[in-house]
């Protein structure tokens, strides 16, 4: 296809502002998906995805579009709609998807207005030099206030309120005009057709039947079938088994030229061999220089994952191996905890990533897991100058610590005016420092803070929502490390350290953490035959203490008389209860106590 006839774009929006619905309408209007199929697909989406492992709502869909009105009426174009992952944890992948486009449709719910991810996505789009078309969606809603939010949006982008499109993804109103405008306003792709091939990988998905499907945008030259290709970050060469476009099913093609978007299948079995951000070139006479922007995704949040039933350990390993095929950013290595047994220390991009993986392990692989409280990565320098990276609090060095630093984030919070005080209070209590504040409109305020990532992953979002009646929205990105006054708090049961409860906390919060955990554990651990002290300690200094008083456990006391079978039953029951106990030194701790203590905060 002539690059002049191609438009590559994405839709960016805050969650639930209607991106998928608008995309569906575009597929239908361009005739890529028929109306009858549309409904079926919509409903079957999940099952089909699961069965075939390939997304119907593809990472990139090619749609033919004939301009419906105006000077170019009747002219044919190819529109490539590129999907972007929706959450802060995956910012790097979002930015790669955006880099594959020339334009972005910025979608805003006309009943909600601008939210934190609207801003974050807009800034990413502008960073990638994209042309932005502002669009107000859901204008069919009775609560829609397109006039009011057009002002807001125009103010933000620096255009006139009349420049904002008004559409309804639900009814289809305004969508044809929007498609025309995509052709008119977004620039066509530029590239050198005669140069060696260079294509950027913006997504990479593992498919059970076909191996890894890699989505690329060709920048220069041409990729043809039956060619061997090279991944420029590693130099690895792969056979090209299939090349094509998605419309909306995969369709093989004779090659991809400048500006075109499509997929490659090389037979690799693991997305780590075909990484987002990497450049694909030909194996012979390949390009010398990779496209800009390749960055390795780095785990930011760590947690220990342990099977509740120790015999599930091999299954957990197998499940993680499988998930890793489709997730280059998932990181794990075996770890042994005195309290929890054999498990894995896993690294994630963020809290949502952690939750998704955990849920998939439980749902898709039927595993029951305990996860330790998530923690960030600390950089610890000892007095003798040695530098250690700590991903597990229980491994925090005991020696003379000179300096500890922790990852920081730049957070953007949007909130209605009424809740500014509450939001500031929350950020303050989480060691935040305010960087700025702007009124987007008389009612809506943007607050910018620097906060420790460790504070964000610790129920910050829930607190923010509850303090603002659900109205505030949050977005953040990491900005490097900062020194902080951090200490390790250990929890001891009868003098024995319980590694799973060790935490790295700010000095000022250490006492509160110690008190909370010792209290929680006292309530959760049943009485034993002897007294059990529960202590919280920083090094050898005890900062909190609770006691579990001793009892004499006599299950047979209830059985007067000589009913032997009943006695036996009771004894067996007690034995079974024991199986679910973990021994910490001489203390029996029920599995539930660990689960409850690790999830209560
Ligand atoms: P995520 O994929 O979860 O980020 O959401 P999204 O932005 O793709 O939103 P989605 O298309 O799933 O729509 C969110 C909700 O808004 C759904 O309940 C839709 O039915 C509804 N919705 C989307 N567009 C419109 C619209 O134009 N009018 C009305 N009334 N509802 C809409």
């Amino acid at each position: 296809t002539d690059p002049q006839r191609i438009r590559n774009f994405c839709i960016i929006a805050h969650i639930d502002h209607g991106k998928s619905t608008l995309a569906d309408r575009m597929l239908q209007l361009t005739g890529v998906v028929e109306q009858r199929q549309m409904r079926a697909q919509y409903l079957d989406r999940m099952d089909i995805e699961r069965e075939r492992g390939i997304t119907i709502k593809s990472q990139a869909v090619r749609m033919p579009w004939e301009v419906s009105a105006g000077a170019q009426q009747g002219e044919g174009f190819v529109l490539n709609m590129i999907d972007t992952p929706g959450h802060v944890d995956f910012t790097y992948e979002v930015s790669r998807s955006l880099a594959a486009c020339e334009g972005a449709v910025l979608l805003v719910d006309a009943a909600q207005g601008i939210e934190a991810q609207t801003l974050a996505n807009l800034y990413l789009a502008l960073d990638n030099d994209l042309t932005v078309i502002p669009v107000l969606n859901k204008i069919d809603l009775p609560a829609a206030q397109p006039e009011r939010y057009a002002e807001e949006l125009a103010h933000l982008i620096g255009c006139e309120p009349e420049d904002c499109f008004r559409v309804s993804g639900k009814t289809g109103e305004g969508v044809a005009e929007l498609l025309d405008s995509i052709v008119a306003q977004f620039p066509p792709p530029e590239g050198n057709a005669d140069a060696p091939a260079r294509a950027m990988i913006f997504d990479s998905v593992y498919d059970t039947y076909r191996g890894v499907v890699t989505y690329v945008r060709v920048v220069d030259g041409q990729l043809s079938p039956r060619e061997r290709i090279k991944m420029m970050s590693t130099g690895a060469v792969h056979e090209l088994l299939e090349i094509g476009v998605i419309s909306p099913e995969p369709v093989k093609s004779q090659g991809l030229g400048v500006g075109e978007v499509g997929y490659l299948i090389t037979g690799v079995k693991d997305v780590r061999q075909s990484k987002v951000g990497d450049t694909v070139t030909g194996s012979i006479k390949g390009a010398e220089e990779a496209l800009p922007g390749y960055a390795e995704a780095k785990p930011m949040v760590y947690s220990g994952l342990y099977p509740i039933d120790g015999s599930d350990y091999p299954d957990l390993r197998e499940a993680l191996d499988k998930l890793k095929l489709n997730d280059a950013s998932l990181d794990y290595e075996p770890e042994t905890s005195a309290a929890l047994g054999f498990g894995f220390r896993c690294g994630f991009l963020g809290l949502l990533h952690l939750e998704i993986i955990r849920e998939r392990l439980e749902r898709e692989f039927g595993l029951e897991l305990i996860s330790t409280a998530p923690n960030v990565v600390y950089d610890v320098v000892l007095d003798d100058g040695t530098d250690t990276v700590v991903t597990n609090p229980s491994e925090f060095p005991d020696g003379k610590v000179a300096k500890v630093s922790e990852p920081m984030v730049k957070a953007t919070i949007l909130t209605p005016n009424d809740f500014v005080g509450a939001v500031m209070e929350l950020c303050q209590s989480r060691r935040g420092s305010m960087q700025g504040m702007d009124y987007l409109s008389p009612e809506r305020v943007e607050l910018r803070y620097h906060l420790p990532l460790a504070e964000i992953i610790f129920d910050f979002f829930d607190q923010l929502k509850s303090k603002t009646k659900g109205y505030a929205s949050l977005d953040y990105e990491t900005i490097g490390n900062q020194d902080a006054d951090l200490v390790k708090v250990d929890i001891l049961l009868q003098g024995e350290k319980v590694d799973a409860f060790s935490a790295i906390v700010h000095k000022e919060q250490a006492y509160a953490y110690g008190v909370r955990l010792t209290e929680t554990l006292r309530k959760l651990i049943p009485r034993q035959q002897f007294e059990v002290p529960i202590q919280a300690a920083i090094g050898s200094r005890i900062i909190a203490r609770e006691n579990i008083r001793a009892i004499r456990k006599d299950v047979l006391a209830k059985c007067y008389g000589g009913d032997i079978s009943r006695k036996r039953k009771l004894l067996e029951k007690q034995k079974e209860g024991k199986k679910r106990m973990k021994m910490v030194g001489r203390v029996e701790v029920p599995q539930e106590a660990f689960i409850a203590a690790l999830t209560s905060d």
Side-chain angles (χ1 to χ4, degrees), residues 224-470:
S224 327
R226 285 178 303 280
E227 192 177 8
R228 283 157 75 84
I229 54 161
K230 188 163 80 178
M231 301 296 172
M232 291 192 72
S233 73
T234 58
V237 170
H238 302 291
E239 207 75 48
L240 199 50
L241 303 178
E242 187 178 321
I243 184 165
V245 298
I246 308 274
S247 191
E249 299 291 331
V251 183
K252 286 185 205 175
S253 84
Q254 287 315 302
L256 296 174
V258 169
E260 289 197 282
V261 173
Y263 69 91
L264 311 173
I265 294 176
T266 57
V268 304
K269 286 274 174 277
D270 182 335
V271 290
R272 275 172 297 175
Q273 294 168 286
S274 198
K275 286 186 215 164
V276 171
D278 205 350
T279 302
V280 176
T281 189
S283 71
I284 342 167
K285 282 191 281 175
E288 297 285 313
E289 203 179 319
L291 295 163
Y294 178 69
E296 198 90 36
K298 214 172 62 193
M300 296 303 296
V301 176
Y302 280 79
S303 169
L305 289 183
Y306 292 84
I308 286 185
D309 180 347
S311 64
D312 281 344
Y313 177 73
D315 294 344
L316 176 57
R317 174 192 294 276
E318 207 171 295
L320 285 167
D321 287 345
K322 277 207 182 119
L323 289 181
K324 176 108 198 169
L325 290 176
N326 201 11
D327 189 344
S329 50
L330 174 64
D331 193 40
Y332 55 93
E333 56 183 58
E335 157 178 281
T336 318
S337 154
L340 302 174
F342 292 107
F344 292 91
R345 177 120 301 239
C346 304
F348 307 92
L349 294 175
L351 213 52
L352 179 81
H353 188 207
L354 184 164
E355 278 164 21
I356 293 173
I357 296 289
R358 206 199 134 140
E359 188 163 327
R360 291 188 65 183
L361 288 169
E362 297 195 322
R363 275 220 203 145
E364 294 171 31
F365 299 91
L367 293 162
E368 277 191 280
L369 301 171
I370 304 186
S371 57
T372 62
N375 61 272
V376 301
V377 183
Y378 298 95
D379 195 36
V380 182
V381 181
L382 297 181
D383 274 349
D384 64 9
T386 41
D387 200 334
T388 352
V389 172
V390 176
T391 58
N392 182 345
S394 71
E395 285 161 11
F396 192 82
D398 286 321
K400 298 262 183 307
V401 173
K403 194 168 78 146
V404 188
S405 71
E406 61 178 340
M408 300 292 292
V409 302
K410 186 170 89 181
T412 306
I413 300 164
L414 261 64
T415 174
N417 202 10
D418 301 351
F419 302 114
V420 169
V423 172
M424 286 167 78
E425 218 169 88
L426 175 66
C427 291
Q428 225 81 53
S429 74
R430 298 303 180 89
R431 301 190 276 132
S433 68
M434 188 150 125
Q435 303 296 310
M437 173 164 149
D438 277 316
Y439 278 81
L440 294 172
S441 70
E443 303 84 39
R444 196 185 297 262
V445 183
E446 175 190 353
L447 291 160
R448 290 184 299 277
Y449 270 89
H450 286 180
L451 285 151
L453 176 61
E455 299 284 345
I456 296 251
I457 63 175
F458 191 73
D459 88 339
F460 183 84
F461 190 62
D462 291 342
Q463 287 291 322
L464 181 68
K465 283 287 176 192
S466 83
K467 286 186 192 309
T468 61
K469 301 211 171 87

Side-chain angles (χ1 to χ4, degrees), residues 94-110:
V94 178
S95 116
R96 291 305 85 202
S97 296
L98 296 182
C101 304
E102 276 76 35
V105 170
L106 179 67
L107 198 65
V108 172
D109 186 327

Side-chain angles (χ1 to χ4, degrees), residues 13-22 42 86 107 109 137-141 167-171:
H14 190 75
I15 188 156
D16 280 345
H17 281 201
K19 194 170 89 172
S20 309
T21 309
L22 179 65
Y42 188 75
L107 198 65
D109 186 327
N137 187 31
K138 308 196 190 180
I139 52 167
D140 61 288
L141 284 177
V167 306
S168 165
K170 190 175 173 188
T171 66

